[in-house]
Amino acid sequence: MADGTQDESKLQNVLTELFLKAYEDGIITNDEHAILDQVKLDAQKYAEELQIALEDHVITPDEKNKLLKLKKDLLQNAYEKSREDNVISKDEKALISLLIKILVQNEDI
């Protein structure tokens, strides 16, 4: 696992990628904004827990499981946020798909 600074940088890159995806069509809708806000909140929670886990420079199995659960929660919360109005737009689907892709490709964060 990378050090905390690298992980925070990776998390910021995730948020940046999602923002750029949302802004691809030149507008960020209220629904997209709500997803981005939710991901940001959950990413901050993940970053805080990661810092705690890295304090002793060892991530225990329990800490790893907690971090994995937080990543799953991040995705689940973003999906639930997209469903709040009972309509998942093409743009919202694109954000969720990108989030899944990023999380799968970056298992180390």
Side-chain angles (χ1 to χ4, degrees):
M1 174 146 311
D3 69 38
T5 304
Q6 289 175 334
D7 290 322
E8 286 178 26
S9 177
K10 286 182 182 181
L11 289 170
Q12 185 58 50
N13 289 343
V14 168
L15 295 171
T16 301
E17 278 189 64
L18 290 172
F19 174 82
L20 291 173
K21 184 67 170 175
Y23 197 68
E24 260 182 0
D25 60 0
I27 187 168
I28 296 179
T29 65
N30 289 337
D31 291 343
E32 290 171 313
H33 197 279
I35 292 170
L36 292 170
D37 284 346
Q38 184 65 52
V39 170
K40 184 177 179 180
L41 284 173
D42 290 337
Q44 287 171 338
K45 184 187 297 183
Y46 180 88
E48 290 168 8
E49 289 299 323
L50 182 60
Q51 281 301 114
I52 292 168
L54 288 172
E55 283 177 355
D56 62 359
H57 304 288
V58 175
I59 295 185
T60 66
D62 285 343
E63 290 169 333
K64 186 174 182 175
N65 288 336
K66 185 172 187 176
L67 292 169
L68 181 59
K69 182 183 180 325
L70 287 171
K71 283 172 67 172
K72 288 179 182 178
D73 289 349
L74 186 149
L75 180 57
Q76 182 65 34
N77 291 342
Y79 175 70
E80 288 175 9
K81 189 59 75 173
S82 73
R83 293 183 34 201
E84 280 185 352
D85 61 0
N86 295 319
V87 176
I88 301 176
S89 71
K90 178 183 74 147
D91 291 343
E92 290 171 294
K93 284 179 188 175
L95 278 180
I96 301 297
S97 294
L98 178 58
L99 182 58
I100 292 168
K101 179 181 174 187
I102 290 169
L103 292 175
V104 167
Q105 288 177 343
N106 295 287
E107 290 182 19
D108 62 331
I109 58 170

